[in-house]
């Protein structure tokens, strides 16, 4: 539904924090999926919802046309690509960026933007299955290396025998990393 300003209001699924809200996490889905679908998939992998004491999770649903040109890449990987584009080109003030089974192409506008950047850049947490046949592991590694070369602090985790899918270990590592970037009161007290 278009608003008067010409912007589009996206459908979204929200998981509220269990306690006092102090941060928000936006989890972008890939082509052919929805925010609700991604939340359901994560819940299936973890056997429970991904929740935090203080972090609201927003799963927006993009209009299908947004991902049309990327249809050959498929999956949640396009959400990671979009997150890297948004953070490193327009919103370098975010606490961090994560990309799961994702990559940037060799001539990405992200690389061009970072060549001109001189500020502090958000850390990148990246995960990739070594058996991914849709978005090759080497593409994820290449993206990570290029971003590191351009000044991004990165963490890259490879998961042996994992295809183009989410794994429980990957999501648990992601959750721990998120808590280092967006600590709650309990995490701050333990530091």
């Amino acid at each position: 539904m278009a608003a008067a300003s010409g912007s589009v209001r996206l459908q979204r699924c929200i998981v509220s924090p269990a306690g006092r809200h102090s941060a928000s996490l936006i989890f972008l889905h890939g082509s052919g999926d929805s925010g609700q679908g991604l939340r359901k998939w994560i819940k299936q992998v973890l056997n429970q919802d991904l929740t935090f004491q203080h972090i609201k999770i927003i799963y927006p649903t993009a209009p299908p046309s947004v991902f049309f040109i990327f249809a050959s890449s498929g999956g949640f990987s396009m959400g990671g690509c979009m997150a890297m584009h948004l953070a490193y080109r327009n919103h370098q003030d975010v606490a961090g960026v994560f990309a799961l089974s994702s990559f940037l192409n060799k001539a990405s506008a992200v690389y061009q933007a970072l060549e001109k950047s001189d500020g502090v850049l958000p850390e990148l947490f990246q995960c990739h299955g070594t058996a991914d046949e849709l978005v090759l592991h080497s593409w994820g590694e290449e993206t990570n290396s290029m971003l590191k070369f351009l000044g991004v602090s990165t963490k890259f985790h490879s998961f042996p025998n994992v295809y183009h899918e989410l794994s429980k270990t990957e999501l648990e590592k992601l959750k721990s990393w998120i808590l280092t970037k967006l600590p709650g009161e309990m995490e701050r007290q333990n530091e």
Side-chain angles (χ1 to χ4, degrees):
M1 199 183 317
S5 67
S7 64
V8 175
R9 182 171 170 83
L10 298 177
Q11 289 182 315
R12 63 190 185 282
C13 173
I14 295 175
V15 178
S16 297
R20 200 176 111 254
H21 176 223
S22 63
S24 294
L25 171 73
I26 301 170
F27 209 133
L28 302 174
H29 66 82
S31 60
D33 204 353
S34 67
Q36 184 69 37
L38 180 58
R39 177 186 177 186
K40 189 175 176 181
W41 189 12
I42 291 169
K43 190 174 184 174
Q44 196 172 27
V45 171
L46 293 176
N47 292 319
Q48 63 182 17
D49 243 332
L50 177 63
T51 59
F52 296 91
Q53 189 65 27
H54 62 291
I55 301 171
K56 176 195 295 185
I57 305 174
I58 303 164
Y59 296 94
T61 296
S65 62
V66 170
F67 291 122
F68 182 72
I69 59 171
F70 301 112
S72 63
S73 296
F76 50 99
S77 54
M78 289 316 307
C81 178
M82 184 177 280
M84 289 185 280
H85 271 272
L86 288 169
Y88 296 120
R89 293 177 65 202
N90 303 90
H91 298 284
Q92 294 182 356
D93 58 342
V94 297
V97 179
F98 62 91
L100 310 177
S101 301
S102 194
F103 76 106
L104 296 171
N105 65 41
K106 291 176 193 274
S108 175
V110 171
Y111 302 142
Q112 296 163 23
L114 289 176
E115 286 173 353
K116 299 172 190 150
S117 178
D118 58 0
V120 176
L121 300 168
E123 183 178 74
L124 173 66
F125 178 91
Q126 207 173 346
C127 295
H128 216 113
T130 61
D132 193 334
E133 295 172 345
L134 191 59
V135 176
L136 300 182
H137 182 267
S138 61
W139 299 353
E141 281 184 311
E142 187 176 306
T143 296
N144 192 277
S145 295
M146 189 63 174
L147 291 172
K148 188 177 281 191
F149 174 77
L150 292 167
V152 176
S153 173
T154 67
K155 293 188 184 323
F156 188 85
H157 301 278
S158 295
F159 292 88
N161 305 315
V162 172
Y163 295 90
H164 194 71
E165 59 191 337
L166 296 172
S167 75
K168 186 171 185 171
T169 308
E170 172 185 40
L171 290 173
E172 288 168 349
K173 272 190 185 297
L174 174 62
K175 188 171 183 175
S176 295
W177 178 79
I178 289 167
L179 289 172
T180 67
K181 298 279 120 200
L182 302 170
E185 288 180 29
M186 292 301 288
E187 288 83 7
R188 278 192 215 109
Q189 290 172 2
N190 294 334
E191 290 179 353

